[in-house]
Coordinates of all heavy atoms in Angstrom, one line a residue:
D138 N 198.4 231.1 303.2 CA 197.5 232.2 303.7 C 196.7 232.8 302.5 O 197.2 233.7 301.9 CB 198.2 233.3 304.6 CG 197.2 234.3 305.1 OD1 196.0 234.1 305.0 OD2 197.6 235.4 305.5
A139 N 195.7 232.0 302.1 CA 194.8 232.3 300.8 C 195.7 232.4 299.7 O 195.4 233.2 298.7 CB 194.2 233.7 301.1
V140 N 196.8 231.8 299.4 CA 197.6 231.7 298.4 C 198.2 230.2 298.1 O 198.3 229.5 299.2 CB 198.7 232.7 298.4 CG1 199.7 232.4 299.6 CG2 199.5 232.9 297.1
I141 N 198.4 229.9 297.0 CA 199.1 228.6 296.7 C 200.4 228.4 297.3 O 201.1 229.4 297.4 CB 199.2 228.3 295.2 CG1 199.5 226.8 294.9 CG2 200.0 229.3 294.6 CD1 199.4 226.4 293.4
G142 N 200.8 227.3 297.8 CA 202.0 227.1 298.4 C 203.2 227.0 297.4 O 202.9 226.6 296.3
D143 N 204.4 227.4 297.8 CA 205.5 227.4 296.9 C 205.8 225.9 296.2 O 206.2 226.0 295.1 CB 206.8 227.9 297.5 CG 206.7 229.4 297.7 OD1 205.8 230.0 297.1 OD2 207.5 230.1 298.6
G144 N 205.6 224.9 297.0 CA 206.0 223.6 296.4 C 205.1 223.3 295.3 O 205.6 222.7 294.3
V145 N 203.8 223.5 295.5 CA 203.0 223.2 294.3 C 203.1 224.2 293.2 O 203.1 223.9 292.0 CB 201.5 223.2 294.8 CG1 200.6 222.9 293.5 CG2 201.4 222.1 295.8
A146 N 203.3 225.5 293.4 CA 203.3 226.6 292.5 C 204.5 226.4 291.6 O 204.4 226.6 290.5 CB 203.3 228.0 293.2
T147 N 205.7 226.1 292.1 CA 206.9 225.9 291.5 C 207.2 224.7 290.9 O 208.3 224.4 290.3 CB 208.1 226.4 292.3 OG1 208.3 225.5 293.4 CG2 207.9 227.9 292.7
G148 N 206.3 223.6 291.1 CA 206.4 222.4 290.5 C 207.5 221.4 291.2 O 208.1 220.6 290.6
E149 N 207.6 221.5 292.6 CA 208.5 220.7 293.4 C 207.8 219.3 293.5 O 208.5 218.4 293.8 CB 208.8 221.2 294.7 CG 209.6 222.5 294.6 CD 209.9 223.1 295.9 OE1 209.7 222.4 297.0 OE2 210.4 224.2 296.1
L150 N 206.4 219.2 293.3 CA 205.8 218.0 293.3 C 204.6 218.3 292.6 O 204.1 219.4 292.2 CB 205.4 217.5 294.8 CG 204.5 218.4 295.6 CD1 204.0 217.7 296.8 CD2 205.2 219.6 296.1
H151 N 203.8 217.2 292.2 CA 202.5 217.3 291.4 C 201.4 217.9 292.2 O 200.7 218.7 291.6 CB 202.2 216.1 290.7 CG 203.3 215.6 289.7 ND1 203.9 214.5 289.7 CD2 203.6 216.2 288.6 CE1 204.7 214.4 288.6 NE2 204.5 215.4 288.0
G152 N 201.3 217.4 293.4 CA 200.0 217.8 294.2 C 200.3 217.4 295.6 O 201.1 216.8 296.0
C153 N 199.2 217.9 296.3 CA 199.2 217.6 297.8 C 197.8 216.9 298.0 O 196.8 217.2 297.6 CB 199.4 218.8 298.6 SG 201.1 219.5 298.6
M154 N 198.0 215.9 299.2 CA 196.8 215.1 299.4 C 195.9 215.6 300.4 O 196.3 216.4 301.4 CB 197.2 213.7 299.7 CG 198.0 213.0 298.5 SD 198.4 211.3 298.8 CE 199.5 211.3 300.1
T155 N 194.7 215.2 300.4 CA 193.7 215.3 301.5 C 193.2 216.7 301.8 O 193.0 217.1 302.9 CB 194.0 214.6 302.9 OG1 195.3 215.3 303.3 CG2 194.5 213.1 302.7
Y156 N 193.1 217.4 300.6 CA 192.7 218.8 300.8 C 191.2 218.9 300.4 O 190.7 218.2 299.5 CB 193.3 219.8 299.9 CG 194.7 220.4 300.6 CD1 195.8 219.5 300.6 CD2 194.6 221.6 301.2 CE1 196.9 220.2 301.1 CE2 195.8 222.2 301.7 CZ 196.8 221.4 301.7 OH 198.1 222.0 302.3
T157 N 190.4 219.7 301.2 CA 189.0 219.8 300.9 C 188.8 220.8 299.7 O 189.5 221.8 299.8 CB 188.2 220.4 302.1 OG1 188.4 219.4 303.2 CG2 186.7 220.4 302.0
H158 N 187.9 220.4 298.8 CA 187.7 221.3 297.8 C 186.6 222.3 298.3 O 185.4 222.2 298.2 CB 187.1 220.5 296.5 CG 186.8 221.4 295.3 ND1 186.5 220.8 294.2 CD2 187.1 222.6 295.1 CE1 186.5 221.7 293.3 NE2 186.9 222.8 293.8
T159 N 187.2 223.5 298.8 CA 186.4 224.6 299.3 C 186.0 225.6 298.2 O 186.5 225.5 297.1 CB 187.2 225.4 300.3 OG1 188.4 225.8 299.8 CG2 187.6 224.5 301.5
F160 N 184.9 226.4 298.6 CA 184.8 227.5 297.8 C 185.9 228.6 298.1 O 186.7 228.4 298.9 CB 183.3 228.2 298.2 CG 182.2 227.2 297.7 CD1 181.5 226.5 298.5 CD2 181.8 227.3 296.4 CE1 180.4 225.7 298.1 CE2 180.7 226.4 295.8 CZ 180.0 225.7 296.8
G161 N 185.8 229.6 297.3 CA 186.6 230.6 297.6 C 188.1 230.7 296.9 O 188.3 230.2 295.7
A162 N 189.1 231.1 297.6 CA 190.4 231.4 297.1 C 191.1 230.3 296.5 O 191.8 230.4 295.5 CB 191.3 232.0 298.3
R163 N 191.0 229.1 297.0 CA 191.6 228.0 296.4 C 191.4 227.7 295.0 O 192.2 227.3 294.2 CB 191.3 226.8 297.3 CG 191.9 226.6 298.6 CD 191.6 225.3 299.4 NE 192.3 225.3 300.7 CZ 192.1 224.2 301.5 NH1 191.3 223.3 301.2 NH2 192.9 224.4 302.6
N164 N 190.1 228.0 294.5 CA 189.9 227.8 293.2 C 190.4 228.8 292.3 O 190.4 228.6 290.9 CB 188.3 227.9 293.1 CG 187.6 226.7 293.8 OD1 187.6 225.6 293.4 ND2 187.1 227.2 295.0
R165 N 190.9 229.9 292.8 CA 191.6 231.0 291.9 C 193.1 230.5 291.6 O 193.6 230.9 290.7 CB 191.7 232.3 292.5 CG 190.2 232.9 292.7 CD 190.2 234.4 293.0 NE 191.0 234.7 294.2 CZ 190.5 234.8 295.4 NH1 189.1 234.4 295.6 NH2 191.0 235.1 296.5
F166 N 193.6 229.6 292.5 CA 194.9 229.1 292.2 C 195.1 227.7 291.8 O 196.1 227.3 291.2 CB 195.8 229.2 293.5 CG 195.9 230.8 293.9 CD1 194.9 231.4 294.7 CD2 197.0 231.5 293.6 CE1 195.2 232.6 295.2 CE2 197.2 232.9 294.0 CZ 196.3 233.3 294.8
C167 N 194.1 226.9 292.2 CA 194.4 225.4 292.1 C 193.2 224.8 291.5 O 192.1 225.2 291.3 CB 194.4 224.9 293.6 SG 195.8 225.6 294.7
E168 N 193.4 223.4 291.2 CA 192.3 222.5 290.6 C 192.5 221.3 291.6 O 193.5 221.0 292.3 CB 192.5 222.2 289.2 CG 193.9 221.4 289.0 CD 194.1 221.1 287.3 OE1 193.6 222.0 286.7 OE2 194.6 220.0 287.1
F169 N 191.4 220.5 291.6 CA 191.3 219.4 292.6 C 190.9 218.1 291.8 O 190.1 218.2 290.8 CB 190.2 219.7 293.5 CG 190.4 220.8 294.6 CD1 190.1 222.1 294.2 CD2 191.0 220.7 295.8 CE1 190.3 223.3 295.0 CE2 191.1 221.7 296.7 CZ 191.0 223.0 296.3

Side-chain angles (χ1 to χ4, degrees):
D138 183 11
V140 66
I141 190 172
D143 287 344
V145 174
T147 60
E149 294 178 12
L150 66 165
H151 289 116
C153 291
M154 298 189 295
T155 64
Y156 273 79
T157 301
H158 188 174
T159 58
F160 288 103
R163 286 183 175 178
N164 299 281
R165 299 196 295 272
F166 296 89
C167 304
E168 62 186 33
F169 295 83

